[in-house]
Amino acid sequence: MSPAHTPASPLVAQVAAQVRTRCLAEPSGHDWHHIARVWRLARELATVEGADPEVTELGALLHDIADWKFHGGDDGAGPRAAAQLLDGLGAAPALRDAVVEIVATVSFKGAGVATPMRTVEGRCVQDADRLDALGAIGIARCFAYGGHVGRPLHDPDVAPVLHASADAYKAAQGTSLNHFYEKLLLLQDRMTTASGRRLAAARHRTVAAFVRAFLDEWGDSPLHPLP
């Protein structure tokens, strides 16, 4: 927890402490430091967008509490874990339900899959999570995750796929570089808050420049059109 920030409520402080303990040593780029950055970004967006700070902060802290990628593709693992933790800490049912809705709907599910967020709090959390998938840290996280699950860096013979369904996206076995085309380079246009769009622009340019440099150094590899 950042000493410069006072959590929106005692419940937020309790959740932050528990999530930090659970996720500190996670090796795939979905660790406590990722969550803390999303927490900070979501707070910034919530201030500008007029979102409820407690719901936003709890949604940010719990958005990766049990990601489907590490639970056999089970989309319900995260919402269940978030509800269990909040119930254990005595959260009001309405507050719990608002946070669980964010956890259940925050994830990117494929290039061809719409992932709208019903509430402004959800939009702040989703944009914050996507901002951390962009820029220099987003690049590092992409390759950390690829290494964690055994993905090759790049294969010029394997083209990116713009997945039309969540099931196709979950089943994808592509390369780390293809993930830039299949997700990261698409995120700038999928920000749903004005603040998120503003912050995404520079991070998107960093990612696009990296892809160009990577393929230039690789040699004899097609440069697919960059968004």
Side-chain angles (χ1 to χ4, degrees), residues 23-139:
C23 302
L24 188 59
E26 201 279 337
S28 77
H30 298 77
D31 58 1
W32 164 250
H33 300 292
H34 160 65
I35 293 166
R37 289 190 302 270
V38 172
W39 184 20
R40 173 180 58 80
L41 287 164
R43 291 196 309 263
E44 293 175 7
L45 298 180
T47 298
V48 177
E49 302 294 330
D52 180 278
E54 185 176 42
V55 174
T56 303
E57 293 190 30
L58 289 171
L61 286 165
L62 292 170
H63 82 278
D64 265 349
I65 190 65
D67 192 295
W68 61 264
K69 292 188 288 296
F70 310 111
H71 290 79
D74 182 3
D75 288 316
R80 288 194 301 271
Q84 182 179 27
L85 190 153
L86 290 170
D87 283 342
L89 293 173
L95 175 60
R96 176 202 62 211
D97 292 347
V99 174
V100 168
E101 178 182 345
I102 292 173
V103 176
T105 54
V106 69
S107 292
F108 183 88
K109 294 180 173 65
V113 183
T115 52
M117 300 298 280
R118 186 181 64 83
T119 65
V120 64
E121 293 79 18
R123 292 191 288 274
C124 289
V125 174
Q126 187 179 67
D127 279 8
D129 187 34
R130 291 177 175 184
L131 284 167
D132 205 56
L134 290 173
I137 286 176
I139 293 167

Side-chain angles (χ1 to χ4, degrees), residues 117-187:
M117 300 298 280
R118 186 181 64 83
T119 65
V120 64
E121 293 79 18
R123 292 191 288 274
C124 289
V125 174
Q126 187 179 67
D127 279 8
D129 187 34
R130 291 177 175 184
L131 284 167
D132 205 56
L134 290 173
I137 286 176
I139 293 167
R141 291 183 63 228
C142 180
F143 287 106
Y145 178 76
H148 181 70
V149 299
R151 287 180 173 173
L153 288 179
H154 177 48
D155 184 340
D157 296 324
V158 179
V161 178
L162 298 182
H163 303 98
S165 70
D167 287 343
Y169 180 71
K170 287 181 180 181
Q173 298 292 322
T175 68
S176 288
L177 192 76
N178 281 356
H179 192 62
F180 285 80
Y181 291 96
E182 294 166 356
K183 177 182 177 182
L184 306 191
L185 288 164
L186 308 178
L187 295 180

